Amino acid sequence: MRLSLTLLACLAILIVTLTSLSTSSQGNVDLEIEVKPLRSRIEGRIIPGDIVEVNVRVVVTPHTMDSVGLGYRVECISGSEHHKVVEGSLRVPLSGGLGSSRFNLEIQWCKQVSITITSPEGTSKTVILDIDPEVSIELPDYYRYKIETMKEGSTIILGVRIKSNVDGARGAIVIRDETLDLKLLEKPITLRSGVYMEEFYLRLPENPVRALVFKEYEMLHKIVVEYVGVDTYNGNNEDSFYVMIVSDNVWRIPWALAIVFGFIVTLVALVYIARIAFS
């Protein structure tokens, strides 16, 4: 019994010694994080879609190691919600106990970004980036790369993809016919964080009237969709598509045909007047 207690005591001492040696081999690690813009659309601002460079500087004492392994974790924060964006590891070479490493990070659609660096012995450092409010819109490829032919006055359901890191703010979607310089729709929306679709019922315009009588038989219209509201960068606030609009059956007289018809009527009238004048 006494021998068993002695063996257990020796084993405990051995475990403590090995743990102490393992900790001392890692040393004390001090961390410093610096974030700087690598690709930004507005100087001095950080918005979703920008690329930043995360620089990690390390000081290890005592100076007995030639490198140290670090882990990093990036989280997106929107209100009380946290979700992981990416995590990974870094191997930092050391010289005299000093070293640095870096990685690039694309900013996601959230209000804040948390970057945490952790060393093997438990030291951690966290920085939180405040992201400026940003909203962007885009149309699905179906609208942008295909020209539909539709009857004037018909109604379509237009889907708009919205990306936002803003919650609860009010904005508006404005749809206009750039060909006719005509506003077709203005619809208020309430923003929410994330990427989502909104649908709008849009009544297509009529083709313009020519000579107070005839309409264009068909006309290519450019329809522009624009977001208006809280935002930082306005270079992604609108998108557009084209639609070929055909006039109503009653007015399906091509403009060229109308000109020819008018010319014939005028010519007949002149011939008739000439005959009367010289008869």
Side-chain angles (χ1 to χ4, degrees):
M1 181 68 177
R2 184 174 300 176
L3 180 60
S4 298
L5 292 175
T6 303
L7 288 174
L8 288 174
C10 291
L11 182 59
I13 294 172
L14 179 60
I15 291 173
V16 171
T17 303
L18 290 174
T19 303
S20 176
L21 289 174
S22 175
T23 303
S24 63
S25 66
Q26 295 289 347
N28 295 320
V29 180
D30 292 324
L31 302 170
E32 184 178 342
I33 304 173
E34 179 188 22
V35 180
K36 62 181 182 179
L38 192 62
R39 191 192 71 192
S40 60
R41 284 161 288 181
I42 301 179
E43 186 176 356
R45 312 291 289 271
I46 300 178
I47 62 175
D50 286 353
I51 305 293
V52 297
E53 183 180 81
V54 181
N55 292 290
V56 183
R57 288 192 285 270
V58 183
V59 179
V60 178
T61 53
H63 307 160
T64 57
M65 303 168 60
D66 57 4
S67 68
V68 63
L70 302 176
Y72 65 87
R73 180 183 176 91
V74 179
E75 292 185 340
C76 191
I77 305 174
S78 294
S80 60
E81 296 184 1
H82 293 231
H83 66 269
K84 182 186 74 174
V85 175
V86 66
E87 62 182 355
S89 60
L90 300 170
R91 173 57 60 176
V92 183
L94 300 174
S95 177
L98 304 177
S100 65
S101 186
R102 62 179 180 267
F103 62 94
N104 297 338
L105 176 66
E106 180 176 354
I107 302 300
Q108 303 298 305
W109 289 90
C110 45
K111 294 181 179 180
Q112 294 179 311
V113 171
S114 168
I115 305 171
T116 300
I117 307 296
T118 306
S119 70
E121 49 86 29
T123 301
S124 65
K125 182 82 171 183
T126 300
V127 295
I128 295 179
L129 305 179
D130 291 320
I131 312 303
D132 290 303
E134 178 61 15
V135 179
S136 78
I137 65 168
E138 63 181 3
L139 299 173
D141 292 344
Y142 176 83
Y143 297 109
R144 293 191 292 173
Y145 301 122
K146 184 177 181 180
I147 299 178
E148 292 282 357
T149 299
M150 306 194 72
K151 185 178 176 181
E152 63 180 3
S154 57
T155 300
I156 64 173
I157 300 175
L158 183 65
V160 179
R161 183 180 294 110
I162 300 175
K163 298 179 181 179
S164 166
N165 67 343
V166 181
D167 273 315
R170 299 282 287 176
I173 295 294
V174 179
I175 304 176
R176 66 182 189 276
D177 186 327
E178 192 169 273
T179 304
L180 301 180
D181 192 22
L182 176 68
K183 182 189 289 186
L184 304 177
L185 178 71
E186 182 171 348
K187 187 77 172 180
I189 59 172
T190 300
L191 296 169
R192 61 182 188 268
S193 293
V195 181
Y196 54 95
M197 292 287 293
E198 292 277 3
E199 292 185 340
F200 303 90
Y201 288 86
L202 177 66
R203 185 177 185 273
L204 296 177
E206 296 183 0
N207 286 334
V209 176
R210 305 295 189 187
L212 302 179
V213 178
F214 303 107
K215 284 187 178 180
E216 294 281 359
Y217 173 66
E218 60 182 13
M219 176 180 282
L220 186 65
H221 293 248
K222 182 180 181 181
I223 309 299
V224 177
V225 182
E226 182 182 12
Y227 162 77
V228 179
V230 59
D231 198 31
T232 300
Y233 174 68
N234 60 12
N236 53 9
N237 287 357
E238 71 174 42
D239 204 349
S240 62
F241 69 100
Y242 289 89
V243 60
M244 183 69 73
I245 296 181
V246 179
S247 296
D248 188 87
N249 291 330
V250 176
W251 298 100
R252 282 198 171 190
I253 303 177
W255 181 237
L257 181 59
I259 294 176
V260 172
F261 179 75
F263 176 77
I264 293 174
V265 171
T266 303
L267 183 60
V268 171
L270 289 174
V271 170
Y272 179 75
I273 292 172
R275 284 184 178 182
I276 293 177
F278 293 103
S279 61

